[in-house]
Amino acid sequence: MLKRIGLGLLACVLCLTLGWGVPSWGRNGPEILWDRWGIPHIFASDQESLLRAFGWAQAQGHGDLLLQLYGEARGRASEYGGIDYLATDQYVQMMAIPERAQAWYDQQTPTMRANLTAFAAGINQYFQQYPQAVTPAHRQVLPVSGVDVLAHVQRVLYFQFLTNPQQIEAVRNHQPIPVSPGGSNAWAIAPSRSRSGHALLLANPHLPWGGLYRWTEAQLQAPGLNLSGVTLVGMPVLAMGFNDNLGWSLTVNYPHNVNFYELTVQDGGYLWQGQIQTFGRERKTLKIRQADGSFQALEWEIQHSEAGVVLSQQGDRAYVLQMAGLDRPQVLEQFWQMGQASSFSDFEAALKTLQLPMFNLLYGDREGNIFYLYNALAPERTGTWQEWGQIRPARGPQDLWQGYFAYPNLPKLKNPHTGWLQNSNDPPWTSTWPSQLKPTDYPASLAAANLGLAPEIFRSQRSLKLLQTAEKLSLEQMIQQSLDSRLELADRVLPLLIPSAKALANPIGIEAAQVLERWDRQNNADSRGAVLFLLWALTLGPERIFSRPWNPQDPLNTPAGLADLNTALAVLEGVAAQMQLLYGSLDVAWGEVVTMTAGKSTRPAQGGPGNLGSFRVLELRAKADQRFQAIAGTSYLSGVEFSNPVQAQSILVYGNASQSQSPHNGDQLLLYSQNQLRPVWRTREAIQAHLEKQEQLP
């Protein structure tokens, strides 16, 4: 007996002194290990502590942005910051985001309510300890609550991704409804196409480089959870990531599940089921901060109808909105379950809850499975996808959709014989090639009918060709493929344009043809000819270039041909002459004219516009000096190999902090400009070898 006690005491002493058997997250509250890139690795003994520390970490890296976004999601940003935020507040209040956030909070499970409260508490705790870490204007937003978190989540997912103020304004002005901002690439590679025999996963969202689209990266570790990845600033769970067994990526899809209707206004009301119905009216008051610190009150009215909130009324017509998913408040719960899953069946069980209103999903795991899902709260309705992207008349409930397609009826594909899956915002039918999903097997209203309707068809074709022609890929080779900036559009038109210019153009046009002939057709920093081609394509307009439209009989190589050779040559000569004046040369390097800026770092650009067919995407804005700056595009890039242990590399192009004085605001841009990613450290030993600082929360 004494011997057993002695041995037990010795084992206890060894545990205490050497740390054996004592989980690092179980000692004195949550612990945050910050690595040299400003990535927080959070260790906690339970979910609430984990998310409280995650709130603390986001406050530290993104304090001003975080509070700005929460203030906007309350519909009170003009109260905090003045009249510049009036339109934002009116949009948020018109869409009833604050009220719905409270209703959603009340509908959360007790566990998720506690987690939301803990995340908000971590934010508040950080600013109680470091009140000077944010500006006085943003301190007004404190304290924040779990309801604020849900309001922000709702605003971003539903009222920026599903629809947005630009679409609402287009409806009001009878203009074509624009596509929501943001694009993405994602690949899943099966073991049969992997050099290591392990599944590979690529995540590569293309979003604006700031505001509510900004990503933040973290590792979250607690009992039953070891999850690495990213989420949008202000969200308490990871939206894309991987654990020890599996991972997933998301790309933007377009299910047309936000629909706009036209009502007939009559006798002060609207016509509904053959009778005149009275508009519901709701008075709102906004407080607007003045320069002297006083407030001015603005009263305004929101109208409602049986078909939805009234966006505008013009003469005898009123325009209203119906949106999918506002009756599904458990989107954070679904993400949380996805992150905790340890097998495909666990992961799919989370998907089947159908709380996430949109996004394609690509998946891979250590068992060698790969999977694609056209995820959407897709309305059950007649008509075509294109028809539901337009304003439609509504005269009664028969003109509105009433329910959603069930999970078994959504397009999905697991372990295709091709050995790979991809999505680059194209319809589900090209998730692999040759296609294994057929649009004729699904309702015409569900998705775009073919690749020709992809928002950036040349980028989608480039993705398909990269995978179709690739040999077995290693993790490093997959990452290098993802950095491909060759322009599919250039491959399509230059074989016609160059010889035509040499034969028919003026001397300046012949010189331009020679530059384009020497060009590597890439958008790398040192590519010469890329600027000339960009200006030619943008001036002519991609929609005016081709003589032959997209053809389902040749889906990867059409549209093609030159619609008007004389115009194409005249534009080439005009652009060449302009370049001589602006830059002094036709073969100026891409990186001399196009730059990337993050924080205090500015680098020559790598990548190009997705609509011209670059897989490595940068969206550009012209500057006053006749040069261009990247404002969106590749924001996060991650490659994962599901070996044992999992291996991964990633890059957050603008860095993992948005605070102006943080050393991590822009610190990864140099690495990205050198075509490098950084290793994702996941073990305590690896993290401590690259440790910047360590924090222990009470």
Side-chain angles (χ1 to χ4, degrees), residues 225-271:
L225 180 71
N226 184 12
L227 184 64
S228 298
V230 292
T231 194
L232 295 172
V233 170
M235 295 191 182
V237 297
L238 298 188
M240 289 189 285
F242 63 95
N243 58 33
D244 293 331
N245 298 292
L246 56 83
W248 74 97
S249 178
L250 303 176
T251 68
V252 172
N253 63 0
Y254 307 95
H256 284 176
N257 55 1
V258 173
N259 300 118
F260 301 99
Y261 301 101
E262 180 185 84
L263 304 179
T264 299
V265 176
Q266 189 173 326
D267 298 333
Y270 62 99
L271 193 62

Side-chain angles (χ1 to χ4, degrees), residues 16 183 213 280 286 329 344 411 524 555 564 618 640 646 653 670:
L16 291 174
Y213 294 107
L286 282 169
F344 177 76
N524 298 328
D564 186 334
L618 286 182
V640 183
V646 173
V653 172
L670 175 61

Side-chain angles (χ1 to χ4, degrees), residues 119-450:
F119 181 76
I123 296 169
N124 295 328
Q125 183 181 0
Y126 181 81
F127 292 123
Q128 287 168 3
Q129 188 160 336
Y130 302 104
Q132 303 306 314
V134 289
T135 64
H138 292 133
R139 281 201 294 272
Q140 299 173 87
V141 178
L142 293 166
V144 300
S145 69
V147 175
D148 291 320
V149 178
L150 279 177
H152 171 64
V153 169
Q154 186 186 129
R155 179 195 174 203
V156 173
L157 287 182
Y158 291 84
F159 297 100
Q160 289 295 143
F161 277 98
L162 275 188
T163 191
N164 55 62
Q166 293 73 33
Q167 290 186 342
I168 303 302
E169 195 62 24
V171 171
R172 288 170 171 164
N173 295 325
H174 301 277
Q175 296 173 343
I177 300 171
V179 173
S180 295
S184 20
N185 299 323
W187 291 351
I189 311 297
S192 63
R193 295 292 295 271
S194 161
R195 284 187 178 274
S196 65
H198 303 130
L200 305 175
L201 183 68
L202 179 78
N204 181 207
H206 313 144
L207 293 179
W209 285 6
L212 49 73
Y213 294 107
R214 185 158 186 144
W215 297 106
T216 189
E217 188 172 357
Q219 180 186 10
L220 306 179
Q221 189 170 132
L225 180 71
N226 184 12
L227 184 64
S228 298
V230 292
T231 194
L232 295 172
V233 170
M235 295 191 182
V237 297
L238 298 188
M240 289 189 285
F242 63 95
N243 58 33
D244 293 331
N245 298 292
L246 56 83
W248 74 97
S249 178
L250 303 176
T251 68
V252 172
N253 63 0
Y254 307 95
H256 284 176
N257 55 1
V258 173
N259 300 118
F260 301 99
Y261 301 101
E262 180 185 84
L263 304 179
T264 299
V265 176
Q266 189 173 326
D267 298 333
Y270 62 99
L271 193 62
W272 194 254
Q273 293 185 294
Q275 298 182 351
I276 304 300
Q277 294 288 335
T278 302
F279 286 108
R281 299 179 186 275
E282 181 183 7
R283 300 293 297 178
K284 290 284 188 180
T285 301
L286 282 169
K287 291 170 63 177
I288 304 171
R289 180 175 290 275
Q290 306 300 297
D292 62 2
S294 64
F295 295 94
Q296 180 179 342
L298 173 69
E299 290 192 0
W300 61 299
E301 183 178 81
I302 301 172
Q303 293 185 323
H304 300 273
S305 74
E306 293 288 337
V309 64
V310 177
L311 306 176
S312 71
Q313 184 175 327
Q314 301 171 22
D316 64 349
R317 294 290 183 266
Y319 298 92
V320 302
L321 171 147
Q322 182 186 25
M323 174 176 285
L326 297 180
D327 56 345
R328 303 286 177 99
Q330 309 293 342
V331 62
L332 295 180
E333 183 73 36
Q334 179 177 332
F335 274 130
W336 193 242
Q337 291 174 8
M338 289 160 60
Q340 294 181 95
S342 59
S343 66
F344 177 76
S345 59
D346 291 344
F347 191 83
E348 191 174 34
L351 297 180
K352 288 178 179 179
T353 64
L354 282 181
Q355 299 294 309
L356 189 61
M358 62 179 291
F359 300 111
N360 299 289
L361 183 142
L362 276 290
Y363 165 98
D365 66 28
R366 273 177 50 189
E367 298 299 315
N369 295 304
I370 62 172
F371 177 69
Y372 163 81
L373 170 67
Y374 180 79
N375 177 81
L377 287 170
E380 292 183 317
R381 57 200 174 185
T382 59
T384 68
W385 176 85
Q386 287 174 288
E387 290 170 345
W388 282 96
Q390 303 169 0
I391 299 173
R392 298 169 62 89
R395 303 293 179 262
Q398 72 278 1
D399 296 321
L400 312 179
W401 48 262
Q402 304 297 331
Y404 307 119
F405 283 99
Y407 177 84
N409 299 327
L410 295 175
K412 61 183 75 67
L413 188 58
K414 183 181 180 185
N415 298 332
H417 62 76
T418 57
W420 56 266
L421 292 162
Q422 73 85 39
N423 188 266
S424 45
N425 311 118
D426 43 322
W429 330 121
T430 43
S431 54
T432 197
W433 195 261
S435 178
Q436 295 184 37
L437 294 172
K438 306 299 181 185
T440 51
D441 293 335
Y442 298 87
S445 67
L446 186 60
N450 55 59

Side-chain angles (χ1 to χ4, degrees), residues 65-78:
L65 175 60
L66 185 68
L67 296 182
Q68 176 69 41
L69 295 175
Y70 284 171
E72 291 175 1
R74 286 177 183 169
R76 295 172 58 190
S78 53

